[in-house]
Amino acid sequence: MLPDFSAYEKDSQKLCHLLLDKVRVVTVPAASWHGGHLRMSFCGTIKEITEGIERIKWVLDPAAPNELYLGDRKLTRDWR
């Protein structure tokens, strides 16, 4: 899948690093002419995929709560 996240961030590599660093979601930047697009592969259980999507949403949605729990680990949105 090659979704377009350019409304949030035009630099695909920067967005990939943000998702990996903040919520442990692995994506791959698209080719340079697809700025803002991420390569995404969905493998795993439906629960794991849904959780990954929720993590991405938490990072990108300014209306999301300021905190997120990954297991017993509490994450706080501190980069905005």
Side-chain angles (χ1 to χ4, degrees), residues 4-5 10-11 15 27 29-31 33 35-38 41 44 47 52 57 63-64 67-68 74 78:
D4 181 1
F5 290 94
K10 300 228 183 278
D11 184 338
L15 183 55
T27 58
W33 61 86
H37 288 72
L38 301 180
S41 175
K47 181 181 177 187
K57 180 181 175 187
E67 297 174 345
L68 176 74
K74 178 180 166 184
D78 59 0

Side-chain angles (χ1 to χ4, degrees), residues 46-63:
I46 295 295
K47 181 181 177 187
E48 292 168 333
I49 294 167
T50 302
E51 183 178 307
I53 292 168
E54 288 300 316
R55 291 180 191 185
I56 292 170
K57 180 181 175 187
W58 180 74
V59 170
L60 301 180
D61 183 3

Side-chain angles (χ1 to χ4, degrees), residues 14-35:
K14 184 176 175 182
L15 183 55
C16 286
H17 286 285
L18 176 69
L19 293 174
L20 182 60
D21 291 343
K22 299 302 181 183
V23 290
R24 306 280 191 235
V25 173
V26 177
T27 58
V28 177
S32 61
W33 61 86
H34 287 297

